[in-house]
Every structure is written in C-alpha cells, then in structure tokens.
Amino acid sequence: MASRAGRSAVGERAAALRAAQAALAAEHAAVYGYGVVGGRIGDDRLAEAREGYAAHRARRDALARTVRDLGGSPEAAAPAYALPFAVPDAPAAVRLAAELENRVAAVYADLVRASTGSLRRQAAGALREAAVRAVRWRGGGVAFPGLTERAAPATPSASPSGGADGV
C-alpha cells in the first residue's frame, strides 16, 4: 500500500511540475507579447500595458522558483515568439493583450487542476488576475475564465517563433 501511495505522490508532483512548466512558458510568452503591446498601444492605455507587463514578469519569476521547488529546471524564454496575428496599431495591441491573458488563464486553470495546497491557491490567484486583465482589455468577460478556451479547438498556449502556433 505504501508503494502505491508513493507512486501516486510522485505522479502528482510530476503533473504539477509539467503544469508549472507550461505556466512558466506562457508567462515567458506573455512578457514578450506585452513588449509588443507596449510598443503599439495608445497613450490612454499605456499604464495598463505596463502593469500587465510587470505582473507577468513577477509571475514568471515566481514560477521559475516554483519549478525549482518541484525539482525541475525552469525552461528558459525563447528569443522570440510568433504572434497570433499582426499587431500594426493600438486596436490590434488591445486584442493581443486580451489574447495573452486568455492563454495565460488557460494554463493556470491546468495548474489549478494539477496542484494542491499553496501552489493551487497561487495558481487560482494568477488565473483570477489574468481573467480580470482579460476583461479589462476585452471589455467583457466569460463565465469560466481559463476553461471556456477548452471548448474551442485546442491550441498550445505559447510557442517559440517558427512554430505554427504562437503567443
């Protein structure tokens, strides 16, 4: 019986580590994406873009520590990420910011599902923050942030440039 419980705990830790790595990858992509947003957004929303950028940098750094605490080696950021669409102007930058937040919320929903205790609470807080930022950017919300994206055809949350999918 003890070995089954031990294998279960190891499996749960491995699942939490995979989900934390995915969230870290999404945060790397969000930091990159907010750099693009900040370069294209209008002055009226520049402070909001800076706040989002800072929040994602802080979450990224915390997730790197979490990955190490779970026994993993944090994945490094890619040099660049493919954007989901062209961002030539401020309205496109607003759409990109909302999309970044949706994607981050989705991976945090996965981390909530894969974790327990304080990591689960932190992931739920990050999910809530991303959902709130998405609502602010989009001007409206969804019933279950981080989960509604799962009803659509699955797309990865982030990928280095050169991939078919993107930030």
Side-chain angles (χ1 to χ4, degrees):
M1 219 43 182
S3 64
R4 181 182 290 174
R7 282 193 307 263
S8 177
V10 168
E12 289 172 7
R13 187 176 186 90
L17 177 57
R18 281 190 305 275
Q21 287 280 30
L24 177 58
E27 289 292 6
H28 283 313
V31 168
Y32 178 88
Y34 265 97
V36 174
V37 169
R40 303 284 196 285
I41 200 76
D43 289 341
D44 59 326
R45 298 195 78 179
L46 186 57
E48 191 175 354
R50 286 182 178 148
E51 289 170 14
Y53 178 76
H56 287 292
R57 285 185 61 197
R59 286 284 180 192
R60 177 201 62 195
D61 296 346
L63 277 166
R65 287 188 298 275
T66 297
V67 166
R68 281 191 292 275
D69 291 346
L70 290 169
S73 178
E75 295 290 328
Y81 293 85
L83 299 175
F85 48 82
V87 186
D89 54 22
V94 169
R95 285 193 328 273
L96 177 59
E99 179 65 18
L100 293 170
E101 297 301 345
N102 287 339
R103 291 176 182 213
V104 167
V107 295
Y108 277 115
D110 291 343
L111 185 54
V112 167
R113 184 173 37 254
S115 60
T116 60
S118 65
L119 180 54
R120 178 179 249 171
R121 284 188 295 280
Q122 291 168 14
L127 168 58
R128 181 185 62 248
E129 290 170 12
V132 168
R133 280 191 299 270
V135 165
R136 288 182 181 148
W137 286 115
R138 192 173 40 248
V142 295
F144 298 102
L147 298 178
T148 50
E149 295 81 8
R150 301 299 190 209
T155 57
S157 298
S159 124
S161 69
D165 52 328
V167 174

